[in-house]
Amino acid sequence: MASHHQSLRDRQVASIERILNLNQHAPNEAEPHHDHASNGLVPQSTPILNSDGDPIWKVLVFDNLGRDVISSVLRVNDLRGWGVTIHLNINASRHPIPDVPVLYLVEPTAANLQLITSDLSRNLYATAYINFLSSIPRPLLEDFAAQTAASGTAESIAQVFDQYLNFIVSDPDLFSLGMGNETYYTLNSAQTKDEVLDAVVDRVVSGLFSVVVTMGTIPIIRCPRGGAAEMISAKLDRKLRDHVLNSKDNLFSDGHGRPSSSAGPSSARPVLIVLDRNVDLIPMLSHSWTYQSLVHDVLKMKLNRITVETPVDEGDPSRGMSKRAYDLNSNDFFWAKNAGVPFPQVAEDIDAELTRYKEDANDITKKTGASSIEDLQNDAGSSAQHLKAAITLLPELRERKATLDMHMNIATALLKGIKDRQLDNFFQIEENITKQNKVQVLELLNDEAKGKEPLDKLRLFIIWFLSTEQDVSRAEMERFEEALRRAGADTTPLAHVKRVREVTRMTMMTSAPSQPAQQSTGGELLRGFSSISNRLTDRLKDGALGANFENLISGVKNFLPANKDLTITKITESLMEPASASSSAIAKTENYLYFDPRSANARGTMPPSASQARAAHGAPNAGGMPGGLGSLGPGTGASFGQRRQGFGDAIVFTVGGGCMEEYGNLQEWARRTSAAAAGGVGVGGGGVPGVRKRVVYGSTEVVNAEEFLTGELRRLGQEDA
């Protein structure tokens, strides 16, 4: 891609800024890489001015998806910097603001178009700048034109743009399509109607097209044969081909009709790997030990926001608890550094950051003669020179203090969840799950002392059941299910899991750890956390939270995860860096299909509908399992050279749900491989030494284990029972 790497988040923010600037290029757009040290998520904005030199203030109106897209990357202060005085949901009751223009950022649906027409006919706003999150279909555009003509509101419309932003970026290299927690069920249920399945596939294709447009480069597309992944890949390939062929100034040109870098050699372009969720269900259910995975699992993070219970008065526990909402994003220096780090190491870094904060605060107070940072803010007797320097540093220190305080509260909540649910024990067992025999698993399910949360035991059993190479008889399965029911678990999802196991035993690739799991000597984790009690604020020095921390941390095991790659990571490695991948991974991806939307081949190929794909498979209701949709025919198999082609950049997309465990594992592989290449240990990018690997991970929706198990797997289990 570009020599100066921009993350997917950088590019999406730049696109949103342009919308907020009434689709005019911002003065600082020549350097769209954003400084995360600014007060907001993006640098101080510069809105365009009117003829009198005043900012153009405006109202922002969005639908639910538009809200999620913006709220994941911008704050209210950022919107205000671009002249947005108020932001409203299009479905809410809104009062007239007739002298102010309005920006719409909505999906192109009939309902939204009717609401926009209603707004214009009632003169709610001055002029309208309409931005659709994806390309509006021609029939809808014609209907909107007819409504506008009938209502006589054409003069109120200043702009209509397709923006290709119908995806949500929650981390610099993590996105979802915001399709909710029903996609896996819809794609795997035999009861799904063909038209519903077609609509889901089209929605995924639209979202991936927008991601590709935002990244500015047409990728090579790889996917396994059969299933929704092949349907999506074929339709996306066709959509990209049609766009490039039918548009002289297309979205991938430089604006003057000349092809952009996306027309370069295929090795310089990214690879888009589209996978069905059933290729590996284990990461969706596993108990992870990294910071971001624990936050997602224990605290139910959604769109980077979590809610944590904190004491109303830490000196008086009888006053109860209050709920506080926190946003976790790349502007948070501690989160950006530690999101993918094992939890015990996070404890050590909190300790180190608290020490650094205290040293910096003491340094400032010594120079000014104040006794504390708080006194310094009210002290007028310090020397002018030192006071000026101190005041310059105060905002940064206060921000660091607030950030560390927040992560203290998050760590406290996580530790409570770990102890209450014994998550450290589950993690330890799952690290060596293939070594567990049937007797050991049954004993664990029957032991009330090993985990009191039924859902955790059900997750552990499914992980073992999908991982083990041991045959499980019907009688043995009944004993397992009975033990789970006695523990309080709902075993309905197991009916579907049994069907998945029959297929995925051939697609999953277990990896032996390249290094054994580490368990630190006793007390290290305790020391890391207990030292916090006298570090951050007077509140902590009182010992109330410190004592609570020591009570929480006692008995929690300090494990560091084994260095092993998940199935999806091994697939990615075999397609990005086949020279270094294992022979088993290469064998699994040998027959993956190959689509190059820029090639001259297969331009007449028309992707089939869901009904045609099912009919080709010979089973009308075969859509409930991978491969049930059939293969779409010959013509897209990879040649030997294409199979051995390396890539520096990849977009890995799972159809039917994604998880933080896979995202973190892919990023860890990319860092490890890049470090090896930089050190001359390995080669990548088609045999070019020193190529840095970058992987963007996406899915129809990022869901936690509880949502996936009690929602979609349970519904499918009811059908399969």
Side-chain angles (χ1 to χ4, degrees), residues 41 187 246 268 448 548 551 682:
L41 288 183
L187 293 173
N246 299 331
E448 295 182 1
N548 186 34
N551 290 333

Side-chain angles (χ1 to χ4, degrees), residues 116 123 278 288 307 353 476 479 542 581 590 653 663 718:
I116 292 173
N123 295 316
N278 280 325
S288 179
T307 302
E353 289 293 340
E476 289 170 330
R479 286 197 290 273
D542 292 338
E590 192 79 2
F653 185 83
Y663 172 60
Q718 289 173 332

